[in-house]
Amino acid sequence: MMAKNKEPRPPSYAVSVVGLSGTEKDKGNCGVGKSCLCNRFVRSKADEYYPEHTSVLSTIDFGGRVVNNDHFLYWGDVTQSGEDGIECRIHVIEQTEFIDDQTFLPHRSTNLQPYIKRAAASKLQSAEKLMYICTDQLGLEQDFEQKQMPEGKLSIDGFLLCIDVSQGCNRKFDDQLKFVNNLYIQLSKSKKPIIIAATKCDECVDHYLREVQAFASNKKNLVVVETSARFNVNVETCFTALVQMMDKTRGKPKIIPYLDAYKTQRQLVVTATDKFEKLVQTVRDYHATWKTVSNKLKNHPDYEEYINLEGTKKAKNTFSKHIEQLKQEHIRKRKEEYINALPRALNTLLSNLDEIEHLSWSEALKLIEKRPDFQSCFVVLEKTPWDETDHIDKVNDRRIPFDLLTTLEAEKVYQNHVQHLISEKRRVEMKEKFKKTLEKIQFISPGQPWEEVICFVMEDEAFKYITDADSKEVYGRHQREIVEKAKEEFQEMLFEHSELFYDLDLNATPSSDKMSEIHAVLSEEPRYKALQKLAPDRESLLLKHIGFVYHPTKETCLSGQNCMDIKVEQLLANSLLQLDHGRSNLYHDSANIDKVNLFILGKDGLAQELANEIRTQSTDDEYALDGKIYELDLRPVDAKSPYLLTQLWTSTFKPHGCFCVFNSIESLNFIGECIAKIRAEASQIRRDKYMANLPFTLILANQRDSVSKNLPILRHQGQQLANKLQCPFVDVPAGTYPRKFNETQIKQALRGVLEAVKHHFDVVSPVPTIKDLSEADLRIVMCAMCGDPFSVDLILSPFLDSHSCSAAQAGQNNSLMLDKIIGEKRRRIQITILSYHSSIGVRKDELVHGYILVYSAKRKASMGMLRAFLSEVQDTIPVQLVAVTDSQADFFENEAIKELMTEGEHIATEITAKFTALYSLSQYHRQTEVFTLFFSDVLEKKNMIESSYMSDSTRETTHTSEDVFSRSPRGSSLDYNYPDSEDDAEGPPPYSPIGDDVRLLPTPSDRSKYRLDLEGNEYPIHSTPLNCHDHERNHKVPPPIKPKPLVPRTNVKKLDPNLLKTIEAGIGKNPRKQPSRVPAAPPEDIDQSDNYAEPIDTIFKHKAFDDTYAVPDDSQNRVIKVRNSIVINAQGDEENGFSDRMSKSHGERRPSKYKYKSKTLFSKAKSYYRRTHSDASDDEAFTTSKTKRKGRHRGSEEDPLLSPVETWKGGIDNPAITSDQELDDKKMKKKTHKGKEDKKQKKKAKAFNPPIRRNWESNYFGMPLQDLVTLEKPIPLFVEKCVQFIEDTGLCTEGLYRVSGNKTDQDNIQKQFDQDHDISLESMEVTVNAVAGALKAFFADLPDPLIPYSLHQELLETSKILDRTERLHELKEIVKKFHPVNYDVFKYVITHLNRVSQQYKTNFMTADNLSICFWPTLMRPDFENREFLSTTKIHQSVIETFIQQCQFFFYNGEIVETPNPVACQPPPSNTVQMVEPMVPLQLPPPLQPQLIQPQLPADPLGII
């Protein structure tokens, strides 16, 4: 029962695989594939398949348990399921023949039968025989699976006969087939099923296979299965077919041809491979390893299937290929990144096209390595190539491997880079060209859309070249520029109209009427209209400006960081700190000084000689002087030393003084130059503020020959230089001494140094306490406009460069203190430097004793702000106006600057204020003394100012009001007592429009101190000097006068400017009793009554009075009107009963505003106000004072230096001059008559046509000058050729341009040039005079003269100007009016004539001679006009001036000193001779002009 219940065991079959076996002789080099067939069937997995199985074994292996001394192998069993689901077990036996590896003969076994007999055996027995796996198992059985053959015996159920159908290895197929035939016969005897397995069909030979099939077809029931163990094709099929033959219950075996089976198998492999590759591609990190990935995938069915079919080795290879691809992809990406980054690196290192345009790639690589930024862009690896190093994994290192640059890709990038630079250069050029095209289109306005402009540039070459994006970008940039410029100009316009905004109180809000008024005024301005398309922006700017005006702070200043308040605070914080630090260290404990450092300057060893003499008189460098011992440290330096400035002041040697020794005119000149350099250097670099005032002492060395004629001259000129330098002069003492230097000289010089040191100590040593600082005697406010084009350092330098400057109280960051001696006492002056917008609050709320109003002469807005501020200042407060520009030449060369400076002077004159100028290129005007007179005026009016301030405060609290009338403040006294201190003693130099350091008229005191010799040198007259001071030049105070019975004078004429110097010299000795700078008539020419000044109008009128006075003229009893405000004497007492009458009529004077005193200020304000409202009181006050003046008011405006024609544009250096109505009427008639004559002359000049000298037609000569030149060649070719020929061959020809050349040659030259412009004059063999004549004929044939007729009259009038400097500057301005073509040619010709005149010693053609020859040619006069004939000499002198001053007119050179002035000198006037004649001395050549001048005030900077 139990047996029946057991499941039946699956049937078991034993299959014996047989085939050709034996020695190599029998089977060839390889077997027929029995082992591979068995291996593939029993262990079908690819990893368990071994393609190599050997039959050559050692005796030991043959005797092992696997072989077990048998000639067959047990491969194990396979359980197989059929199609019907019935399983069976198949045991596989391989019959073979093992060969001894020693004898190469079959091993001896228990069965000694031959292979054919053994192979056919149906019963096999071998005890404990183990299953065979592979050859490696032999001898290592314990390392492999050990499975025994069941029961040690098997019964064979069928045979699988293997026939190799491949080419075979040294084996004949026929022999194999013969062996198979014998084997089949033997097998058939067993009556067991047999199947033929055609092995190695993957290497099949077709006819072998056919023979096998033919062999099988001849046998009964013999089936052939085509197999391939390598590709596992039909292996299982052949065993299954054999089982079906053994088990009749199974169906007939289905035999599939090899090719079909192979395709099926390969399709299965391909599918598995695709699935596995997709599985592998999920790995993205090329650093992944097979071990890691296989462990993750081992349970995946696709992975297992592929491993079974293809094996682990192939799977690993597939994985390795994938990893390599990942790596190569990574390298490719990195390389792509490097190549993409290379253009940026090249742009960084090789951005200059000019440098690399013609370099090869290898040359460029060398250049790259030398760049400083090379390491930041590239990395040089130790191992190459880069893609085989670990650098590929450094993803954060963006540097490019340098060896990558050797590739073709990198070279191509470089070539593209060069081409890109070339195209970019062209693109940039075209963009800039397009930009310039846009700039030339005038109608493009700010805010205009691009679409409205594009139609006008469609045909532009640059527009066509660049892209649309570029064109829009350029237009956008152009729009931004013009918009920004328009906004800046609009803002500047708002500042220019400052009077429009600054009439309301701070913190106010403009009314609608005020806004309407503002728009009404501004809408007339082109700069307002320029922002028409940007109206919102314009309105925003206007509101922002108004907001700032009414609520000004430095934080909201429209100039930003250029706000004057910010810059002043920064400068003062730095400068005053350094100043105080320098004071604490310099000359420390100078009162008890015991060591003196001396710098000795001399030439040709004189310095060393003086040092040796001092040491001789010393004991161990200790010198006894006045009972005290001083240690001397001497440093002699030769004046020629190149290290002069570096040796003068070092960290270890700070000199207390400098001895300057000389013994000749040459050495004295040299010393003067050295001192000027030292002071200029010290001032410019501000190494130390006290270096500019280093005490100098001039010492005259004794001459060996005591009766030397040069000694008086040296003494005199040494004294003169000492006076200029404001330093002591140590003369040679009387007597005869053997040495060059005397002990008396040394002691005198040393005492001077000690006194100077003590003086410095007294000035700078006492640092004031806080209490002292708070007790300022005067409070001055300096106002400047934000954004003005000058440095704050410039306007503060007059204070910061002073020794008496110190910091103000803590918290007053914009103030400084000055200690100045004014009058007879030292005064403390607080200077507060503010912007105008910050000063408004100060003007309204705080006590201010005076204003210094600074403006830039380059900026109209600066003047507009000044006018707006000044208009509201009370007229009791003194004002100093300061114009700032670069240099004195600006006044003459720039009309805008001249106009603003003149306007400033005019305002100063109108309000009786002071005016000066500061020049950024000059050091002289940066001195505190520029403001000394102003400080004196402020101090004098201090009480009145404070009283007015207090009364205003009272009136504001009580809300009272009074009538306001215009009246000038009381004048200043003529006398000022100045101490001898170096810092305080200097009065400001008289102001002139061309600079404060230019004296137009010397003061009487200067004139009285000097006499002239015939060479022009001035020598002092040793007499008591006059105790007078040159009074302020801006507003002249007329002299005290006594009333005289009114005598009507009709012949009142204007003062002749030619007599100004004589008038100046004619002033009396006592300035208190004589009119200042007013001419006096000689006693023999006038009666006694003429000694009195005559008031023009002695009737006092209500609310206004005439301030015009007449003083007698010098020689012709003419009367000159002098106009000024209330006249006072030296003591300040008012004369003519004015004071009494004024007080009786009006009581105490109330202060008004300056806008009611200045016609300029009032007219500006009135021009704004008349649009919406009027100020009756203002109009009345101004009109009343104006209508009482019958003559045209000129005040002190008129100055012949400025404008001899437009007298209203005067300077302030002349006395107040006016004329009466009758004289004015005569002048107007004369001017009208003259204008008619001018018009007639111009008409006549236009009608005048000179005869044509040519007798042939020419397309060159006689043509307009504009047709003969181009922008590239502004000089006509013929002129250029002639001038070149003359300068190359005949510059020294005697009588050049005077001696006429051959007329025929002249014509021939022009004819030949007409035919061929390239003709060479040298080849024509003509004379220099002929070429010169042809050149003159060229200009004579022009339709219009080179110097236009329209300018002839201006040249004529200008030539009559007496002042040479002014005349030359006026001529220069006229030349600038030439047409550009005429100007270039005129400049070329005059330059040539100047070169000719330089050879006058050989060609005898001076500038005078050349002008005689050339002026008719250049000016083309009408000699039939008598008026023209009368001015020929003047016209000739004008041309002479152009030739002489060529460098000045055309090359900005200096004015050349010439012996013959252009204008005729005025006839000698019958004036009182103020300078006595002096017998000239026989003197050597004088010193340089800058060292021989009248004594001037002390100049700390040494700029004389």
Side-chain angles (χ1 to χ4, degrees), residues 214 624 1449:
F1449 285 115

Short mmCIF file of all heavy atoms in Angstrom, two decimals, residues 214 624 1449:
data_model
loop_
_atom_site.label_atom_id
_atom_site.label_comp_id
_atom_site.label_asym_id
_atom_site.label_seq_id
_atom_site.Cartn_x
_atom_site.Cartn_y
_atom_site.Cartn_z
N ALA A 214 24.13 12.64 -45.82
CA ALA A 214 24.07 11.50 -46.74
C ALA A 214 24.37 10.19 -46.01
O ALA A 214 23.73 9.15 -46.24
CB ALA A 214 25.06 11.71 -47.89
N ALA A 624 79.68 132.59 19.94
CA ALA A 624 79.28 133.55 20.98
C ALA A 624 78.70 134.78 20.32
O ALA A 624 79.34 135.40 19.46
CB ALA A 624 80.47 133.92 21.85
N PHE A 1449 50.62 135.28 -31.56
CA PHE A 1449 49.32 135.28 -32.21
C PHE A 1449 48.84 133.88 -32.57
O PHE A 1449 47.65 133.60 -32.49
CB PHE A 1449 49.36 136.13 -33.48
CG PHE A 1449 49.37 137.61 -33.22
CD1 PHE A 1449 50.47 138.39 -33.57
CD2 PHE A 1449 48.28 138.23 -32.62
CE1 PHE A 1449 50.48 139.74 -33.33
CE2 PHE A 1449 48.28 139.58 -32.37
CZ PHE A 1449 49.39 140.36 -32.71
#
